[in-house]
Amino acid sequence: MSFLPDGHLSSVAIAMLGGAVRVSTPFLFVSLGECLTEKSGRINLGLEGTLIFGAMSGYAVAFMTGSAWAGVGAAALAGAAFGLVHGLLCSLPRVNDIAIGIALMLFGMGLAFYFGKGFIQPVAPTLPSINLGWWSDSPQLRSALRINALFLLGIVLALGMAWMVRATRIGLIIRTVGDSSDAARALGFRLVLVRVASTSAGGALSGIAGAYLSLYYPGSWNEGISSGQGLMAVALVIFARWNPVGCVWAALLFGAAGALGPALQSVGITQGYYLFFAAPYLLTLGVLIATSSPNRSMSGAPGELSITR
Amino acid sequence: MRPSSRLLTPTRRLFLQSTAAVTGLAALGSLPAGKAHAANVTVGFIYVGPKDDFGYNQAHAEGAAAVRSIPGVTIIEEENVAETVDVQNTMESMIQFDGASLIFPTSFGYFDPHILTVAQRHPDVRFQHCGGLWSADRHPENVGSYFGYIGMGQYLNGIAAGHATRSKRIGFVAAKPIPQVLLNINSFLLGARSVDPEIICQVIFTGEWSMSVREAEATNALADQGCDVITCHVDGPKVVMETAAARDCFVCGYHADQSALAPEKYLTGAEWNWAQVYTSMVTAHLAGEAIPNFVRGGLADDFIKMSPFGPAVTESAQGQIADTKAKILAGGYAVIQGPLNDNKGNQIAAAGQNFEETDVALESMDYLVEGVIGSIS
């Protein structure tokens, strides 16, 4: 980055660190949700709709009850309900999970916009943040290290999910169901139950991702609140190779990429900002191209996934 | 996503047009001549976003609400209409199904090619576009443009900012580098520089009229660079105002009054006053009079107004703003005064050359003045 003037490199680095922490949390939750769903052998493309509905319901409940955490709970419940609908519909014979996902995405968005009309104006309480930058006297760094509890919760959740998938009986059941229905049936696992529960839990996580958007950063409900986090989650999960810990790194990377455009403009690199703003999307495209191959299936992919079969 | 609006295929549209024409003729026959406009009129308003966004669309919707109370006027509204063929379908549907004879498509990007296309098909319907692109030699007679000199409001915002800033750095979150936005940025800085010529203004373009996460990131980036007064030109300023206030920056409002979002940090704001503008246009249309094709107005014409001062605005700041406002109200005030260079060093006004408020040249502005850190491409 030799084209940066002196002193600006650290400034951009701090901004990207701050951006990574602030912007990554919704990516993290929604990709963990997608990861769990895909581990069980289903793909849910409707998480964008779930996320937006979660953002709306979280904001609405936080405003009505005066408690931001009640909003997060409501968003998780709403997300779980969307996941449940997806899971149940896809359990019917000859139903395509991709088509159902897209239908539910449009349904979730429409429903959120309809019920959300009255909540654009009111100001709901926001989630508190933990100040981890108290030791620094740079206001820039202090702001970058103001971390929301949900971010830490997300990291703990990712580690917990990785452990669950690797080392517990539940994890083994989910993996077996996701890798081979025949083997799962032979072992007497209840296929439909496992998949519906996984999809529903994944939906709840996406709902929380939406609540983070509307209750913390940017902390406002409007119809343009999501910039496609729910859709990009699918690419993130592939990027992370269906590994929950990988989702953390992928989310941080995408968050930092999103902060690149404003950070560069603020230090005077103003030419070509459209290109910098496209960074997260270019990254998505690059990931999908790099991981696609006509000859082999993707390593780490659950065998029952309809995209890899 | 909107299959119903896509059903208007050319053949079906022709069919609808011919039936509408027949019904129209029948209706004309039954009415005494010359009374056509005295009857009820239907006026359509089209917004690019939600009409309660604390910003651009809310300002227009408040104007539309004022029109609703005029006797004999029915208003129809549609929000969240994209600047694509969607808006053509919305206009067609307002004309053919609701019988609208006056339409206000309020977003900048609706004009070319969408309004121009539909206007050619319906020469008897009046289209009033907000944003200022109409010119007599190139565009149809039944299209008009209106806009306000809100740059003057941003100039007054800049004076408030110039008094409030301690770091001598102020920030601007801008959507797209179109002339109106550039004029606002330049006016904001020049207002601040009328207080202290050392002040610089950092601008960050988000590239979208409405994109919450990026607006919040841009606001944080400005605060990180030490900007301590922030304003914006995006459709819904709510996110910018709240994020900036949370970073302990002062804010200047835009489009509508956002003081409720940051009561301690809000200095003042440049607001639209469309109620007055729409009422006069619709009243003229109702009376069968022609609306001028090119309508402009500023503070003096009640097209724009300023938010009440917040608690942080000092006496001396209020005094300077009042003085400047009086000069603007007297007419002929120029924000862009020579000698002045752009931020690449090219001269944009020679010594003694002034671009007054009403100068049409300002509507094709393509530069940022000296002191603004930012680039339009």
Side-chain angles (χ1 to χ4, degrees):
Chain A
M1 284 219 181
S2 57
F3 61 92
L4 281 176
D6 287 344
H8 285 171
L9 186 62
S10 67
S11 174
V12 170
I14 292 177
M16 287 181 72
L17 169 73
V21 171
R22 285 189 296 255
V23 181
S24 64
T25 310
F27 280 123
L28 177 56
F29 273 89
V30 77
S31 60
L32 285 178
E34 184 68 34
C35 185
L36 184 61
T37 308
E38 291 189 16
K39 280 277 179 203
S40 78
R42 289 250 177 88
I43 186 161
N44 185 356
L45 288 188
L47 291 186
E48 176 77 3
T50 311
L51 177 127
I52 292 176
F53 193 84
M56 190 283 296
S57 53
Y59 197 75
V61 169
F63 170 68
M64 289 188 295
T65 61
S67 157
W69 289 108
V72 175
L77 278 179
F82 268 91
L84 190 67
V85 171
H86 184 278
L88 290 176
L89 285 177
C90 292
S91 303
L92 299 171
R94 287 185 301 281
V95 169
N96 180 301
D97 51 354
I98 291 179
I100 291 286
I102 291 172
L104 276 179
M105 172 173 80
L106 298 177
F107 178 65
M109 287 162 72
L111 213 59
F113 292 171
Y114 178 74
F115 287 115
K117 273 279 162 264
F119 297 101
I120 297 176
Q121 289 267 331
V123 178
T126 52
L127 290 168
S129 56
I130 304 164
N131 201 348
L132 293 184
W134 43 267
W135 48 269
S136 165
D137 51 1
S138 145
Q140 235 195 331
L141 204 56
R142 273 211 300 275
S143 151
L145 291 177
R146 203 177 292 156
I147 287 173
N148 186 271
L150 281 180
F151 176 69
L152 301 175
L153 185 69
I155 290 178
V156 172
L157 206 66
L159 294 172
M161 197 189 286
W163 174 75
M164 179 192 85
V165 168
R166 195 187 66 244
T168 66
R169 184 176 155 73
I170 298 178
L172 187 66
I173 293 175
I174 294 176
R175 269 193 297 152
T176 312
V177 167
D179 270 332
S180 165
S181 345
D182 293 340
R185 258 191 224 101
L187 287 165
F189 296 154
R190 297 176 65 185
L191 230 68
V192 169
L193 181 72
V194 171
R195 284 183 176 161
V196 170
S198 299
T199 313
S200 192
L205 292 178
S206 313
I208 296 176
Y212 178 90
L213 284 176
S214 64
L215 291 174
Y216 183 68
Y217 193 78
S220 166
W221 159 247
N222 63 61
E223 291 167 10
I225 189 79
S226 158
S227 30
Q229 283 94 339
L231 289 169
M232 281 150 72
V234 181
L236 246 74
V237 172
I238 298 173
F239 188 42
R241 296 273 171 223
W242 292 270
N243 174 2
V245 179
C247 287
V248 177
W249 298 117
L252 284 172
L253 186 65
F254 274 68
L260 187 65
L264 283 179
Q265 278 193 68
S266 76
V267 298
I269 313 281
T270 51
Q271 295 284 342
Y273 55 83
Y274 274 100
L275 210 59
F276 297 124
F277 279 138
Y281 310 103
L282 289 177
L283 204 59
T284 312
L285 201 61
V287 165
L288 290 176
I289 292 171
T291 52
S292 70
S293 160
N295 303 323
R296 56 175 170 81
S297 66
M298 284 173 272
S299 64
E304 286 291 314
L305 272 194
S306 49
I307 44 165
T308 54
R309 260 192 305 197
Chain B
M1 269 195 240
R2 304 180 40 174
S4 61
S5 54
R6 302 250 186 277
L7 282 177
L8 286 171
T9 53
T11 37
R12 174 155 173 180
R13 188 182 292 141
L14 273 178
F15 168 77
L16 288 167
Q17 270 171 344
S18 44
T19 34
V22 170
T23 343
L25 279 177
L28 269 181
S30 65
L31 278 172
K35 280 257 178 126
H37 275 290
N40 291 350
V41 300
T42 301
V43 182
F45 288 89
I46 307 173
Y47 315 111
V48 73
K51 61 184 186 183
D52 40 11
D53 61 356
F54 260 111
Y56 187 82
N57 298 298
Q58 180 177 332
H60 283 292
E62 283 169 5
V67 169
R68 196 186 291 273
S69 60
I70 302 173
V73 175
T74 309
I75 74 163
I76 45 174
E77 300 173 283
E78 189 167 333
E79 47 186 348
N80 292 320
V81 181
E83 292 172 340
T84 61
V85 74
D86 271 4
V87 69
Q88 297 191 26
N89 292 332
T90 298
M91 286 189 276
E92 287 287 354
S93 134
M94 283 180 166
I95 295 163
Q96 297 184 9
F97 296 112
D98 304 301
S101 58
L102 173 62
I103 295 182
F104 292 91
T106 57
S107 188
F108 185 82
Y110 288 159
F111 189 72
D112 193 3
H114 311 298
I115 291 178
L116 297 179
T117 309
V118 180
Q120 268 168 358
R121 278 188 226 134
H122 302 278
D124 49 342
V125 176
R126 182 58 190 235
F127 299 82
Q128 285 294 99
H129 175 244
C130 180
L133 291 161
W134 187 84
S135 78
D137 47 336
R138 285 190 293 133
H139 298 133
E141 272 297 301
N142 58 330
V143 178
S145 85
Y146 61 96
F147 203 63
Y149 303 121
I150 200 159
M152 288 294 170
Q154 280 291 13
Y155 186 76
L156 296 175
N157 272 351
I159 298 178
H163 280 273
T165 180
R166 292 289 158 266
S167 62
K168 298 194 193 302
R169 273 181 99 95
I170 56 178
F172 201 113
V173 180
K176 301 184 183 191
I178 63 165
Q180 287 88 338
V181 178
L182 299 178
L183 178 60
N184 281 336
I185 299 167
N186 292 334
S187 302
F188 186 60
L189 173 79
L190 292 171
R193 285 203 157 182
S194 74
V195 181
D196 180 343
E198 286 180 7
I199 292 174
I200 54 172
C201 177
Q202 181 107 44
V203 58
I204 294 185
F205 289 101
T206 64
E208 302 286 342
W209 289 113
S210 179
M211 192 166 221
S212 300
V213 174
R214 207 178 281 165
E215 286 158 15
E217 271 306 296
T219 311
N220 272 311
L222 289 173
D224 282 346
Q225 288 303 308
C227 299
D228 57 358
V229 187
I230 291 175
T231 189
C232 64
H233 187 159
V234 294
D235 272 355
K238 189 181 180 192
V239 166
V240 173
M241 298 293 142
E242 289 182 336
T243 310
R247 290 293 303 266
D248 214 23
C249 297
F250 290 110
V251 291
C252 293
Y254 190 64
H255 288 317
D257 187 357
Q258 288 107 23
S259 55
L261 297 173
E264 294 303 311
K265 292 291 176 183
Y266 196 79
L267 298 175
T268 182
E271 298 177 31
W272 294 108
N273 191 13
W274 293 127
Q276 183 273 129
V277 180
Y278 286 163
T279 305
S280 65
M281 282 184 188
V282 173
T283 311
H285 183 73
L286 192 63
E289 295 160 16
I291 304 171
N293 289 84
F294 187 84
V295 179
R296 292 292 182 276
L299 277 168
D301 318 276
D302 273 342
F303 271 49
I304 65 168
K305 59 186 177 189
M306 297 302 290
S307 314
F309 291 119
V313 185
T314 59
E315 291 273 313
S316 61
Q318 296 194 13
Q320 192 184 342
I321 291 170
D323 289 348
T324 313
K325 197 170 168 184
K327 285 183 204 157
I328 296 171
L329 290 174
Y333 194 80
V335 165
I336 306 287
Q337 288 185 14
L340 192 64
N341 287 351
D342 69 10
N343 64 358
K344 294 181 192 132
N346 308 314
Q347 191 180 61
I348 46 177
Q353 188 186 3
N354 292 346
F355 291 95
E356 285 182 13
E357 181 183 12
T358 51
D359 199 323
V360 181
L362 295 177
E363 298 194 12
S364 50
M365 184 173 272
D366 58 356
Y367 53 82
L368 292 165
V369 298
E370 200 173 5
V372 177
I373 305 174
S375 160
I376 57 173
S377 59

